[in-house]
Amino acid sequence: MRKKISIIGSGFTGATAAFIVAQKGFADVMLVDLARNLDKGKGKALDILQSAAIFNSSISVSATSHYEDIKDSDIIMVTAGVARKPGMTRDDLVQTNQQVMTEVGEQIKVYAPNAIVIVLTNPVDAMTYTVQQVTGFPHERVIGQSGVLDTARFRTFVASELNISIEDVHGVVLGGHGDTMVPLIQHADAGGVPLTEIMDKVTIDSIVDRTRKGGAEIVQLLGDGSAYYAPAAAMVEMAEAIILDKKRILPAIAYLNGEYNESDVYIGVPVLLGENGVERIVTFELTAEEQSAFHQSAEAVRDVMRVLK
Ligand SMILES: NC(=O)C1=CN([C@@H]2O[C@H](COP(=O)(O)OP(=O)(O)OC[C@H]3O[C@@H](n4cnc5c(N)ncnc54)[C@H](O)[C@@H]3O)[C@@H](O)[C@H]2O)C=CC1
Ligand SMILES: O=C([O-])CC(=O)C(=O)O
């Protein structure tokens, strides 16, 4: 049977994710948005479907404002809500987007009770927690996207600083999707050579800082919204790992129950992604410095969670 991805929110990130899925051709796409945006959504769906013809992807792409159309979805991507503008933090979106997550979560629970949900809406750690609470789905079926994007930014900056191929730059960014995120420098390498051996500390520190502020840099440049190409590509990478049961280890926002010494919090950690969603939280020993930074990041996520009604 053909696989189906429903994307709630057909704005910049949602429509771009639909386009990437169409290019890859591994699932049908249903775009969902408010009734007042239905024609716009249908226009985007038709345009994306016509691009699928060029990619020779035999998938369907549709748009709706009725949640019954998300029935039988294998994956739901949640990109509904508001994005920040220059001068705002992601946390400034919490109240508005919590309301949207509650509305959307209630519909997912009714119409797609077996789906795996990937949340993008910011502040994404707290919004992932909200969607899990509202749907009541098992934690392994509600995850959030941050680490694939933050790691992509980190790798991009390293590759361009060293003037080497992105293919050979490895690393991972854990923690909350905010200024406290934790790029694991001691575990980063270029072609197997530890990053700390080929880059001086000042340069590494400036790359860490730029990675932490990577979203804000783009918000400032765009002027009226936030990044969408790389965030959409990140969500699609996660969705593809699940739908094709690839058993990939990717960083994702997952629920911790003692792992990394944290409990009752959704935050970015390495997870094994397969057909069941989060099949395992992958743990390993962090350095004392990394563990302390991770704990600080978990506390920052908890500060946002305390604002949730
Ligand atoms: N976790 C991450 O790494 C990233 C998160 N984001 C976040 O993703 C969210 C979406 O960003 P964009 O797509 O750029 O925003 P956008 O404004 O282009 O799209 C949001 C869409 O949600 C729709 N919407 C609002 N309320 C809705 C509801 N109740 N039901 C259905 N649809 C609803 C709007 O009509 C709009 O089409 C923002 O919160 C943004 O901060 C964006 C990039 C990266
Ligand atoms: O910065 C934002 O508001 C959007 C986002 O999460 C990102 O691009 O990392």
Side-chain angles (χ1 to χ4, degrees), residues 12-14 16-17 20 77 79 90 118-122 145-146 148-150 152-153 177 214-215 218 222 226-238:
F12 283 108
T13 55
T16 308
I20 300 170
M77 293 177 178
T79 70
R90 296 178 181 94
I118 303 173
V119 179
L120 189 79
T121 303
N122 273 318
Q145 189 302 120
S146 64
V148 174
L149 172 64
D150 297 330
R153 286 179 175 150
H177 187 52
I218 292 176
L222 293 179
S226 50
Y228 48 100
Y229 294 111
M235 271 192 304
V236 174
E237 185 171 48
M238 293 167 73

Side-chain angles (χ1 to χ4, degrees), residues 100-136:
V100 175
M101 293 305 96
T102 304
E103 278 169 40
V104 166
E106 280 163 359
Q107 302 294 328
I108 294 172
K109 181 179 176 174
V110 173
Y111 292 105
N114 300 315
I116 293 169
V117 184
I118 303 173
V119 179
L120 189 79
T121 303
N122 273 318
V124 64
D125 306 276
M127 294 303 97
T128 307
Y129 180 83
T130 302
V131 171
Q132 191 282 325
Q133 291 283 300
V134 174
T135 57

Side-chain angles (χ1 to χ4, degrees), residues 46 54 64 69 83 221 223 231 239 243 256 270:
L46 199 54
I54 297 166
T64 186
D69 294 329
L221 290 166
I243 283 189
L256 298 190

Side-chain angles (χ1 to χ4, degrees), residues 111-307:
Y111 292 105
N114 300 315
I116 293 169
V117 184
I118 303 173
V119 179
L120 189 79
T121 303
N122 273 318
V124 64
D125 306 276
M127 294 303 97
T128 307
Y129 180 83
T130 302
V131 171
Q132 191 282 325
Q133 291 283 300
V134 174
T135 57
F137 288 3
H139 292 111
E140 61 271 20
R141 284 206 282 118
V142 183
I143 54 181
Q145 189 302 120
S146 64
V148 174
L149 172 64
D150 297 330
T151 301
R153 286 179 175 150
F154 175 75
R155 292 175 57 233
T156 302
F157 300 146
V158 169
S160 64
E161 179 63 35
L162 292 174
N163 196 20
I164 61 170
S165 168
I166 191 77
E167 287 176 282
D168 296 323
V169 181
H170 309 113
V172 66
V173 179
L174 304 185
H177 187 52
D179 294 350
T180 61
M181 69 179 69
V182 189
L184 299 187
I185 300 309
Q186 299 302 326
H187 298 87
D189 73 83
V193 182
L195 192 64
T196 48
E197 299 284 324
I198 47 169
M199 202 180 258
D200 62 71
K201 186 169 179 326
V202 173
T203 311
I204 292 177
D205 287 349
S206 79
I207 286 178
V208 167
D209 187 57
R210 192 173 176 196
T211 302
R212 289 191 170 134
K213 296 176 182 155
E217 180 179 3
I218 292 176
V219 167
Q220 200 60 39
L221 290 166
L222 293 179
D224 62 350
S226 50
Y228 48 100
Y229 294 111
M235 271 192 304
V236 174
E237 185 171 48
M238 293 167 73
E240 194 176 21
I242 294 167
I243 283 189
L244 302 183
D245 193 24
K246 283 183 154 186
K247 313 287 188 204
R248 291 201 61 191
I249 295 180
L250 292 173
I253 298 167
Y255 184 77
L256 298 190
N257 191 12
E259 297 88 350
Y260 294 99
N261 293 333
E262 301 294 340
S263 288
D264 198 27
V265 68
Y266 260 102
I267 192 166
V269 288
V271 301
L272 182 72
L273 285 185
E275 62 184 346
N276 303 308
V278 174
E279 300 194 345
R280 187 154 56 90
I281 291 176
V282 181
T283 53
F284 66 105
E285 191 97 11
L286 300 179
T287 64
E289 200 183 336
E290 288 165 349
Q291 183 62 51
S292 144
F294 185 80
H295 178 64
Q296 228 182 311
S297 194
E299 287 296 300
V301 172
R302 287 191 182 97
D303 283 345
V304 182
M305 285 167 63
R306 273 190 271 278
V307 180

